[in-house]
Amino acid sequence: MNFSLGSERAVVGVDVGGTKIEIGAVLGDGTVLCSKRYSMDRSSQEATVSSVIDALRDFMGTTWPGAKLPAIGIGLPGDIDPQRGVWLRSLNMRISQPVELAHLVRVQYGCPVFVDNDVHAATLAELYWGAGRDSESFVYVNIGTGIAAGIVSNARLLRGTSNFAGEIGHMVVEPEGEPCHCGHAGCLENVASGGGMIQSAIKQMERYPHTVLRQFREEDRLSSSTIFRAAEDGDELAAAIAGRALRGLGIAMVNIVNLLDPEQLIFGGGVLRSRKLIAYLEEYVSRYALAGNRASLKSVRASSLPVDQVGLLGAACLAFNQEEVN
Amino acid sequence: MNFSLGSERAVVGVDVGGTKIEIGAVLGDGTVLCSKRYSMDRSSQEATVSSVIDALRDFMGTTWPGAKLPAIGIGLPGDIDPQRGVWLRSLNMRISQPVELAHLVRVQYGCPVFVDNDVHAATLAELYWGAGRDSESFVYVNIGTGIAAGIVSNARLLRGTSNFAGEIGHMVVEPEGEPCHCGHAGCLENVASGGGMIQSAIKQMERYPHTVLRQFREEDRLSSSTIFRAAEDGDELAAAIAGRALRGLGIAMVNIVNLLDPEQLIFGGGVLRSRKLIAYLEEYVSRYALAGNRASLKSVRASSLPVDQVGLLGAACLAFNQEEVN
C-alpha cells in the first residue's frame, strides 16, 4: 500500500451504489474528514455516469475545494478493469458499454484515479483499517442484495485473471435447487442473499397463510434481516427460509476454509452483523472443515468498520493502494 | 524461483508415495538425469521414515555419488509444514507424530532440504515445466485415490495460513449425499475420486446383477479408469457412477472458476488424462461459469508432464523453489 502519500494529505473516495453516491475526503489512517451523499439516477448508462461526474464536481467545488489532490478512488458495482480504469458492465446500473471512468475523471482533476468493484474495495478497507489489519490471509464475504467475496492471501487481494475473483454468490450449494439466472441451479445467492431470500418468501407465501412475512411485505419491510428476526420469533415460513440460507452459507464457508486455508472469515453487509448468525457459521465451520484448516482459522467475525462507511473507506483505499494495481 | 542454482547443477528430488519411493537427479530445466525406484514399507511411522532415509542413502551412494549437492526436495503425502521442514501427519503413511524430516536429511548430506506435500510439489512442476509455464494464474487438480488442488495466483503457489490450501476433495457437491469421513456429506472425493468411485461400485453391485464391474472387481482391476470405460461401453452401474463423478467435478470446477478466476484448469493424475472427460468438464464450465470468469479461462487441459514423472519433478521443484518457502 502506497502510504507514502502520508496521512496529512487526504484522498477522495467515491462510493457508487444503487440508490446513492457517497463522496468523502479520507486520510491515510482511515479518518473521514468530511463526506456528502448524492442521489443516483440510474435510468440509463448516460444518467448513471453523469450522476457520478456531477456529484464529484459538486463535492470538489463546495465541500473539498482544497489543495491539489493526490488521488481519487472510485468503488463501483459490477465488472471493472482496474488496470485500464474501465467500468466494463453492471446490470443494476445499466452499464452495458465499457466506460473509461478513470480517464474521464483524471482529465478533470489532474490526479491519478483508481477504480475497482465495491467488494474488492471493501476488502482492501478491511485489510488496512478493519478486522483484517493483523491478518495476512482472510476472506471477506459481503452479503447484501447479492453475495460476493474478497480473498486476501499474503496480505494482497487476489484478483484472478481479469479481476473477477471472489464470485462466491454463484457457488452451488443446492445442486437440486431452483434455477439461477446464471444458468446453474442452487447458487448461494439464490438461497442466502437479501434478494434471494425475499424471492423465496414471496414464492412460498401462499402456502403459509399465517406468516408474518405477508404483513412485512405489505409494509414494504420484507428483507433478510426481518426474515431472520421472524424466524427467531417462531414464524414457520421465515424459519424455513432462514434455515436454508444458513445451511447454504455454512456449506460455502466450509468450502472456502478447506480450499483457501484462511486465518479469518470476515462478514460485511448489514445482515451478517448479527452475533447469532455468525456464531452459527463459526459452529458449522468448526464442525465440518478439515482439522488442519479449522486450526488455521483464528476467527469468524463481523467487519469492524461502520456499515455505512465501509463503501467510502474502500473507495479511498483504492487511491492509497495504487502501487498494487499498477 | 531460485534458478540461480543454474541448470548445470542437478538437485535431488524424492517422491514419496504409498507404495514406492522415486528418487532422481534433476536439472534446472526439468531434465531427469537418472532416477531409481525403491519399495516403501509403511507398516509403522518408523518403517515409513526409514524407507525414505534408506532409499536416499542408497541413491546417494550408488546412483548419484557426485559432487556436493546444491539441494534436496522431498514431496510427501499428508500435512506438511514447509517452513519448519516437518512432516506433520499422514493417515495413509501412518505418520501420527511430527517428523523433522528436513533436519534429519540435512544433517546427513549437508545441503538445504525442502519438504512439501505432493500436490503442492506437482503444482510447482506444472508452473515451471508443465502446462502452467506460460500462465500466472491456474488451478492444478489432482485426481487419484483422493482429490486435491494447487492454486497458483500471480505465478505463486497459494499456501494459505498453514499450507493447507487446496483441499478441494472436501468441497460439498451433493449436500444430501452420503456421509464423508470428514463429517459432512456429499464431498467431491466421495463421488469422484478413485477411492470413492470404487466404494460406490462395491456398495451398489448387488442391485446390478449383470454389471461388468463385478468381474473387474474379481480380477482386481476395478478403478476409476475401468469404471469410466465401462460407462462408455454402456454398463448401467458404471454409467451411474461415472455420471455422478462428472457432475460433481463439473460443479466443483464451476465453483473454482467463479471464485478464483483462473486462466487455466490443469488436471493431473491418470484418470483425467482422458480427452472425453476433460471435454465434458470444459463444456460444463463454459455453460455454467459466469460470463467474465468464463472469458478469463483460456484452457481446460491435462497436465503436459509425464504421469509417472510428475511426482519426481515436483519434488525437485521444491529444491529449486527454495527462495519462495523461506
Side-chain angles (χ1 to χ4, degrees), chain B residues 9 11 16 26 64 67 134 146-147 150 170 173 194 215 226 258 275 279:
Chain B
R9 292 186 68 196
V11 301
V16 177
V26 180
W64 192 250
D134 306 317
I147 301 181
H170 295 275
V173 296
Q215 187 189 331
T226 55
N258 286 342
R275 272 175 191 279

Side-chain angles (χ1 to χ4, degrees), chain A residues 10 72 111-112 115-116 152 170 183 208 214 232 234 260 272 283 312:
Chain A
I72 297 173
C111 69
V115 301
D116 204 340
V152 170
H170 295 275
Y208 294 82
R214 187 187 313 275
E232 282 179 27
L260 300 173
L272 261 286
E283 164 71 18
L312 176 58

Side-chain angles (χ1 to χ4, degrees), chain A residues 210-282:
Chain A
H210 304 299
T211 179
V212 68
L213 301 186
R214 187 187 313 275
Q215 187 189 331
F216 288 176
R217 190 190 181 192
E218 281 159 14
E219 293 164 1
D220 204 20
R221 56 192 189 94
L222 187 60
S223 73
S224 46
S225 302
T226 54
I227 295 173
F228 276 120
R229 273 203 298 275
E232 282 179 27
D233 294 342
D235 186 90
E236 206 184 344
L237 173 57
I241 295 169
R244 268 181 77 193
L246 285 173
R247 178 140 193 263
L249 283 169
I251 288 173
M253 291 310 109
V254 166
N255 288 347
I256 290 280
V257 167
N258 285 341
L259 194 66
L260 300 173
D261 190 25
E263 199 172 32
Q264 291 196 85
L265 293 176
I266 303 172
F267 292 96
V271 178
L272 261 286
R273 303 222 165 191
S274 145
R275 271 173 193 279
K276 267 200 187 165
L277 303 188
I278 288 182
Y280 173 91
L281 293 177
E282 189 166 14

Side-chain angles (χ1 to χ4, degrees), chain B residues 45 49 53 74 76 80-81 84-89 95 97-107 113 115:
Chain B
Q45 166 152 341
V49 175
I53 299 287
I74 310 177
L76 300 158
I80 319 295
D81 179 340
R84 296 193 302 127
V86 176
W87 195 359
L88 296 170
R89 67 195 142 251
I95 301 295
Q97 296 298 316
V99 180
E100 298 201 347
L101 190 63
H103 175 74
L104 281 177
V105 173
R106 187 166 53 238
V107 294
V113 179
V115 301

Side-chain angles (χ1 to χ4, degrees), chain A residues 108-278:
Chain A
Q108 282 191 38
Y109 302 101
C111 69
V113 179
F114 302 93
V115 301
D116 204 340
N117 83 56
D118 43 11
V119 176
H120 282 180
T123 305
L124 290 172
E126 216 57 65
L127 174 61
Y128 293 114
W129 296 321
R133 220 166 37 221
D134 306 315
S135 196
E136 293 246 305
S137 156
F138 66 87
V139 179
Y140 172 78
V141 183
N142 190 279
I143 307 181
T145 312
I147 300 181
I151 299 163
V152 170
S153 166
N154 288 319
R156 281 179 66 116
L157 179 64
L158 189 150
R159 295 180 181 278
T161 303
S162 311
N163 200 43
F164 301 146
E167 293 289 1
I168 195 185
H170 295 275
M171 185 174 275
V172 178
V173 296
E174 288 188 357
E176 313 304 329
E178 292 146 39
C180 174
H181 65 84
C182 76
H184 212 288
C187 293
L188 179 62
E189 208 162 271
N190 285 14
V191 302
S193 70
M197 290 175 73
I198 292 170
Q199 283 310 310
S200 284
I202 293 171
K203 267 189 206 157
Q204 297 176 68
M205 232 166 236
E206 275 190 25
R207 292 196 283 121
Y208 294 82
H210 304 299
T211 179
V212 68
L213 301 186
R214 187 187 313 275
Q215 187 189 331
F216 288 176
R217 190 190 181 192
E218 281 159 14
E219 293 164 1
D220 204 20
R221 56 192 189 94
L222 187 60
S223 73
S224 46
S225 302
T226 54
I227 295 173
F228 276 120
R229 273 203 298 275
E232 282 179 27
D233 294 342
D235 186 90
E236 206 184 344
L237 173 57
I241 295 169
R244 268 181 77 193
L246 285 173
R247 178 140 193 263
L249 283 169
I251 288 173
M253 291 310 109
V254 166
N255 288 347
I256 290 280
V257 167
N258 285 341
L259 194 66
L260 300 173
D261 190 25
E263 199 172 32
Q264 291 196 85
L265 293 176
I266 303 172
F267 292 96
V271 178
L272 261 286
R273 303 222 165 191
S274 145
R275 271 173 193 279
K276 267 200 187 165
L277 303 188
I278 288 182

Side-chain angles (χ1 to χ4, degrees), chain B residues 145-283:
Chain B
T145 312
I147 301 181
I151 300 162
V152 170
S153 166
N154 288 319
R156 282 179 65 117
L157 179 63
L158 187 149
R159 294 180 181 278
T161 304
S162 312
N163 200 42
F164 300 146
E167 293 290 359
I168 195 187
H170 295 275
M171 185 173 274
V172 179
V173 296
E174 287 188 359
E176 314 304 330
E178 291 145 40
C180 175
H181 65 83
C182 77
H184 211 287
C187 294
L188 178 62
E189 209 162 270
N190 285 14
V191 303
S193 71
M197 291 175 72
I198 292 171
Q199 283 310 311
S200 285
I202 293 172
K203 266 189 206 157
Q204 298 177 69
M205 233 165 236
E206 272 190 28
R207 293 196 283 122
Y208 294 83
H210 303 300
T211 178
V212 69
L213 301 187
R214 187 186 311 276
Q215 187 189 331
F216 289 176
R217 189 189 180 193
E218 281 159 14
E219 293 166 0
D220 203 20
R221 57 193 190 92
L222 187 59
S223 72
S224 46
S225 302
T226 55
I227 295 172
F228 276 121
R229 273 203 297 275
E232 282 179 26
D233 294 343
D235 186 88
E236 207 183 340
L237 173 57
I241 295 169
R244 268 181 76 193
L246 285 173
R247 180 143 192 262
L249 283 169
I251 288 173
M253 291 310 110
V254 166
N255 288 346
I256 289 280
V257 167
N258 286 342
L259 194 65
L260 301 172
D261 190 26
E263 199 173 33
Q264 291 196 84
L265 292 177
I266 303 172
F267 292 96
V271 178
L272 262 286
R273 303 224 164 189
S274 145
R275 272 175 191 279
K276 267 201 185 164
L277 303 189
I278 289 183
Y280 172 91
L281 292 177
E282 188 165 16
E283 165 71 18

